[in-house]
Amino acid sequence: MSNIQLDIEWTEAASRKIEKLMPRGDKEAFLALPPVECLPMEGDVLFLGPQGKQQPFIVAERQYHHDGDADWTIILILDVPQAAH
């Protein structure tokens, strides 16, 4: 069986946007993502943020890194939609 770890990376614009929505010091700041079997693909839009204030983020890139044996890391690189840049 594989051991899969999920990492999220942000473009500069997406990082600024999520920081406004969910400041780092906020104890309630967390992101709920679907299970690995249902992860979004490149071009998919995720609505992230606190209840009632969710904002769109695009999956700009999805990378796979083999960490040895059955260990993998999937990296989702999130960006903001083009109109928001």
Side-chain angles (χ1 to χ4, degrees):
M1 179 160 38
S2 293
N3 178 31
I4 299 173
Q5 178 179 327
L6 175 66
D7 285 341
I8 296 177
E9 294 182 5
W10 308 87
T11 63
E12 188 175 323
S15 182
R16 286 191 307 266
K17 185 174 183 178
I18 198 68
E19 181 66 29
K20 287 179 185 175
L21 287 171
M22 303 171 68
R24 292 178 196 225
D26 188 351
K27 292 180 183 176
E28 294 182 19
F30 69 93
L31 296 175
L33 294 172
V36 171
E37 300 83 21
C38 304
L39 283 179
M41 300 300 289
E42 288 181 18
D44 286 351
V45 177
L46 302 174
F47 287 86
L48 304 173
Q51 185 73 26
K53 296 182 180 179
Q54 292 93 354
Q55 295 292 312
F57 291 86
I58 275 188
V59 178
E61 191 174 337
R62 185 169 157 170
Q63 299 177 355
Y64 299 87
H65 295 276
H66 185 235
D67 301 324
D69 294 329
D71 297 332
W72 289 84
T73 301
I74 299 174
I75 300 172
L76 297 180
I77 299 175
L78 301 183
D79 198 1
V80 293
Q82 289 297 335
H85 274 251

